[in-house]
Amino acid sequence: RISPNGAFGGMGSEDNDTMFPYVAEQLNKYGLAYLHVMDGHGFGFHGKTKSVSTSDIRKFFDGPIIANVGLTRDTAEGMLRSGSVDLAAFGRPWISNPDLVERYKNDWPLNDSPPASVWYSPIGAKGYTDYPFYKADEKKEEL
C-alpha cells in the first residue's frame, strides 16, 4: 500500500511525484498480487508537489491496482473505465451504508459518512453496525 498524496503524520515530500512512480516501477519487478494506492485526498494532501494519481502509477506498475480514499461511485467508475485501476475500494461510505452496492446500483442516496472519531476510537459497535439500510418505500415518498 502506498500513499503518495497523504499528509498523515507529516507525510509528504517535494519529490513524491517522481519517487512514487519509481517505487511502483521497483515493486513491479516482484510480481505482487496487487498494489493498493491511496489515491485521493480524503485524509488531507501534503501540497509539497503535484498530486500523484493512479494513472501516474499505472505507467510503471503492470499488476492489479486497487485505489481508495474519497472515491465516489462516479470517480471509481471513471478510474476503472480508464484502466488506471482494476479495483476500487470504499471505506467510509461502506461503514455508513451497509447496502452500498445496492445504493450505487439503484442510484439511492447515501447515508452521511461517520466522523473520524467513530472509526478511529474504540467505542464498540456504534458507528459500525448501526447504520440503516435503505428502504425502497422511502424513495417513493421522495417522488
Side-chain angles (χ1 to χ4, degrees):
R1 174 191 246 185
I2 60 174
S3 183
N5 302 312
F8 183 78
M11 293 187 328
S13 178
E14 289 78 13
D15 67 348
N16 273 21
D17 60 332
T18 56
M19 192 249 313
F20 276 97
Y22 173 79
V23 167
E25 182 178 42
Q26 298 308 304
L27 290 172
N28 194 50
K29 297 175 183 179
Y30 292 96
L32 301 176
Y34 65 89
L35 181 60
H36 183 176
V37 181
M38 295 179 70
D39 180 78
H41 297 176
F43 293 110
F45 175 55
H46 56 71
K48 296 177 181 177
T49 187
K50 73 179 186 88
S51 183
V52 178
S53 70
T54 53
S55 295
D56 298 322
I57 298 300
R58 173 57 76 203
K59 295 172 190 169
F60 299 94
F61 189 80
D62 299 323
I65 294 177
I66 302 171
N68 82 324
V69 179
L71 301 182
T72 65
R73 177 183 62 187
D74 292 340
T75 58
E77 285 181 358
M79 295 167 95
L80 290 162
R81 286 186 179 132
S82 76
S84 71
V85 303
D86 301 284
L87 296 165
F90 300 92
R92 288 173 275 179
W94 192 266
I95 292 171
S96 57
N97 296 279
D99 54 349
L100 184 64
V101 173
E102 290 299 314
R103 287 175 187 253
Y104 281 166
K105 188 175 167 182
N106 293 293
D107 204 24
W108 295 337
L110 300 181
N111 291 321
D112 291 333
S113 292
S117 61
V118 170
W119 35 271
Y120 268 134
S121 301
I123 56 173
K126 182 173 175 26
Y128 280 101
T129 60
D130 59 348
Y131 279 91
F133 285 79
Y134 186 78
K135 294 181 181 145
D137 58 347
E138 290 175 7
K139 186 169 184 156
K140 291 176 190 171
E141 291 174 15
E142 292 173 8
L143 300 175

